[in-house]
Amino acid sequence: RPIYVSAFNMFPLIHCTTVGGNSFLFYPFKRGLMLLKMSLKTTTTVATSRSFKEDRIWLNGKEEDITHPRLQSCLREIRRLARKRHNDGDATSTELTGLSQKVHICSVNNFPTAAGLASSAAGFACLVYSLAQSFGVEGELSGVARQGSGSACRSMYGGFVQWIMGNQEDGKDSLAQQVEPESHWPELRILVLVANAERKPVGSTSGMQTSVQTSCLLKHRAESVVPHRMEEMIKAVRGRDFPAFAELTMKDSNQFHATCLDTYPPIFYLNRVSQQVIHLVHRYNRHYGETRVAYSFDAGPNAVIFTLQQHVPEFVHFIQHFFPPETNGEDFIKGLPVKRAAVSEQLKQSVGLEPMPKGINYIISTKAGPGPRVVKDPSLHLLSPDGFPKL
């Protein structure tokens, strides 16, 4: 039977959840800002036992290769830190026993994986946090999470988080730092427009490696654009200045995808639906003569919309009009509830675009969320008492 550690000390496992994030500023320069989204969650359960023959991991119901270099990097580092704690005389007897045992890991995302919605960031953050809880590792963990996924370092904290570039050659001082907590801007809302939940053809890591090697725009972006834009973005967030925040967000999203096109061979993350969303946002703002909504696209076709709470009902139904879904019920709008609202004929005519039926599969309505947390309810554990995934 597995040896468990939990907040209740009732079950020998660690179970945690963390939320997904979306980058405002692109991450290859080791400096960027992320906002963690509450309704997009990764849930991970970790168990250790002397009966386990080897380390194993299951992701979204399917066993994955535990020997993947990024997974191994995180496992090795957590175990190294646990051994160091043991040598320093700080570990408990339970934690000491677990050091020699294998682990079983089970993780589930409640949002599309590898579709440009930061599933790897949430996943590796939750993995590192769960392993640290299981092995009794304390302190700064964003540097460990970064070994799994660059953006995962920012998912170790809630709210608005920046990735500090650092100065050391070994990168050990390239860590995450919370700019503001999730409670800082309560009126800010996020709408994730899921156009395609399939795995993207070019992964974020491989795409970035190609861009670094071939894109001249990337070098200009790193040296001349990102440092000033980071300062302006942090200022906008702290001042809750939505027009400034929105403009910076959209400009940076556009430049990221310009960098993708400047890569050789070029990388195409956006599709026709993505382009239509961009047109709709700009025409919606133009109709009202002010910036009410903003878009951001990471490495995928799915839009992340930022707006204020009072604009959510109209904009959601505005999107429903221009992307008529197969269903108008609860299956189309997930997450936080959205009130019904009418879209005026004047607004529809002002936009002047033809609807694109079934372009958006569904919308996730959410807001800023916290960093990783231990889930104390044993019924929510993903592993059964024998240490294998529940059916």
Side-chain angles (χ1 to χ4, degrees):
R1 182 177 174 82
I3 295 177
Y4 292 91
V5 179
S6 78
F8 285 132
N9 292 323
M10 291 172 62
F11 294 89
L13 62 80
I14 286 294
H15 179 82
C16 97
T17 184
T18 191
V19 297
N22 181 261
S23 303
F24 301 133
L25 297 174
F26 196 38
Y27 47 78
F29 318 110
K30 301 180 183 175
R31 193 175 184 200
L33 186 69
M34 175 180 276
L35 171 60
L36 281 295
K37 300 185 287 293
M38 183 181 72
S39 299
L40 277 65
K41 296 180 182 179
T42 295
T43 302
T44 301
T45 302
V46 170
T48 62
S49 173
R50 65 169 61 91
S51 67
F52 296 162
K53 305 300 182 184
E54 58 185 350
D55 295 334
R56 298 176 71 177
I57 186 169
W58 292 265
L59 175 60
N60 294 328
K62 178 184 176 183
E63 185 165 12
E64 300 289 346
D65 182 10
I66 193 71
T67 66
H68 190 287
R70 291 192 285 171
L71 279 170
Q72 285 298 309
S73 182
C74 293
L75 279 166
R76 279 196 305 270
E77 184 61 12
I78 288 294
R79 282 170 166 152
R80 184 191 72 79
L81 292 171
R83 284 192 295 272
K84 181 178 183 300
R85 189 164 184 257
H86 162 50
N87 293 335
D88 292 343
D90 295 329
T92 66
S93 59
T94 301
E95 291 160 356
L96 292 177
T97 303
L99 273 175
S100 62
Q101 297 175 351
K102 301 299 182 180
V103 298
H104 282 189
I105 304 161
C106 191
S107 190
V108 172
N109 298 323
N110 75 342
F111 59 100
T113 301
L117 293 174
S119 58
S120 63
F124 275 105
C126 205
L127 170 69
V128 167
Y129 184 82
S130 299
L131 288 170
Q133 292 286 319
S134 184
F135 287 105
V137 174
E138 300 173 344
E140 219 292 321
L141 295 171
S142 69
V144 183
R146 184 168 62 86
Q147 296 181 36
S149 169
S151 292
C153 70
R154 292 174 295 195
S155 291
M156 296 302 298
Y157 300 93
F160 300 85
V161 186
Q162 67 170 323
W163 182 357
I164 303 296
M165 183 180 293
N167 298 307
Q168 297 178 14
E169 289 187 6
D170 60 8
K172 290 184 178 179
D173 62 342
S174 180
L175 304 170
Q177 180 183 75
Q178 188 180 64
V179 174
E180 295 291 347
E182 60 269 25
S183 59
H184 170 69
W185 201 345
E187 302 84 10
L188 187 66
R189 291 293 182 271
I190 305 144
L191 301 168
V192 182
L193 312 185
V194 180
N196 189 338
E198 299 299 318
R199 185 176 293 269
K200 58 199 175 192
V202 180
S204 302
T205 301
S206 62
M208 177 45 52
Q209 290 171 345
T210 306
S211 295
V212 168
Q213 295 166 2
T214 64
S215 173
C216 296
L217 178 57
L218 187 66
K219 186 174 185 293
H220 168 74
R221 179 169 158 75
E223 295 175 353
S224 304
V225 178
V226 170
H228 175 69
R229 193 166 279 174
M230 272 296 301
E231 293 174 3
E232 292 298 308
M233 178 60 83
I234 291 174
K235 179 181 176 182
V237 167
R238 286 181 169 158
R240 301 184 189 90
D241 183 346
F242 185 80
F245 167 86
E247 182 175 336
L248 287 165
T249 298
M250 291 187 283
K251 284 183 174 179
D252 205 76
S253 176
N254 294 342
Q255 193 178 81
F256 162 47
H257 289 281
T259 301
C260 293
L261 293 177
D262 189 52
T263 299
Y264 188 82
I267 302 172
F268 302 94
Y269 285 123
L270 305 185
N271 59 20
R272 287 178 58 249
V273 175
S274 312
Q275 294 164 359
Q276 183 84 331
V277 169
I278 291 171
H279 291 310
L280 286 171
V281 166
H282 284 294
R283 296 187 186 197
Y284 182 88
N285 289 336
R286 184 182 64 189
H287 173 79
Y288 285 106
E290 62 179 359
T291 304
R292 293 190 175 189
V293 293
Y295 57 78
S296 179
F297 294 86
D298 210 329
N302 304 307
V304 177
I305 300 295
F306 300 95
T307 188
L308 298 179
Q309 185 174 2
Q310 65 264 33
H311 303 312
V312 168
E314 183 188 63
F315 190 77
V316 164
H317 292 91
F318 173 78
I319 290 296
Q320 265 186 298
H321 172 77
F322 284 99
F323 296 103
E326 289 183 311
T327 174
N328 288 315
E330 295 179 358
D331 290 339
F332 185 69
I333 304 173
K334 305 175 185 292
L336 299 178
V338 176
K339 297 179 181 178
R340 295 195 61 82
V343 179
S344 70
E345 289 300 319
Q346 184 182 11
L347 174 56
K348 296 175 188 176
Q349 292 173 9
S350 175
V351 168
L353 293 173
E354 290 297 318
M356 188 180 289
K358 297 185 287 186
I360 301 295
N361 294 332
Y362 57 91
I363 298 173
I364 304 173
S365 172
T366 185
K367 60 181 180 179
R373 304 288 175 89
V374 172
V375 177
K376 298 180 181 180
D377 183 354
S379 68
L380 299 177
H381 294 333
L382 303 178
L383 293 173
S384 59
D386 63 0
F388 287 85
K390 294 179 180 179
L391 297 178

